[in-house]
Amino acid sequence: MAPNLSAIDETRLESWACDKAQEIMLREGFRLIRSARNGSNIEIRETSLMMARAIAASLVEASSAGRPAGE
């Protein structure tokens, strides 16, 4: 956590991160399960990359939310 975040901000960010992780796992995890059952190796790889992109995007979003304005 960034040293300039208050305890309340840290709690909000932590709660947001848990909600976001659950959203990603429900959406992208379900897609990955379906492709693993029915898809080719290429489809499984593409679905895995979609999940990785969703995780990376949420990390970027969390990082920018944790910075004070002007940084």
Side-chain angles (χ1 to χ4, degrees):
M1 240 1 94
N4 52 1
L5 287 178
S6 71
I8 292 171
D9 290 339
E10 285 183 15
T11 301
R12 284 185 188 150
L13 186 58
E14 187 176 315
S15 177
W16 172 87
C18 288
D19 291 344
K20 194 68 167 181
Q22 182 179 17
E23 174 191 323
I24 290 169
M25 291 308 298
L26 286 173
R27 184 184 64 236
E28 303 301 334
F30 182 71
R31 288 180 185 160
L32 185 57
I33 289 168
R34 276 191 304 166
S35 67
R37 284 186 180 166
N38 305 322
S40 65
N41 285 341
I42 293 170
E43 185 179 347
I44 293 168
R45 200 172 309 124
E46 288 173 355
T47 308
S48 297
L49 287 173
M50 286 174 42
M51 181 180 249
R53 287 185 194 113
I55 292 168
S58 70
L59 292 172
V60 169
E61 186 178 346
S63 176
S64 65
R67 290 191 197 125
E71 257 191 43

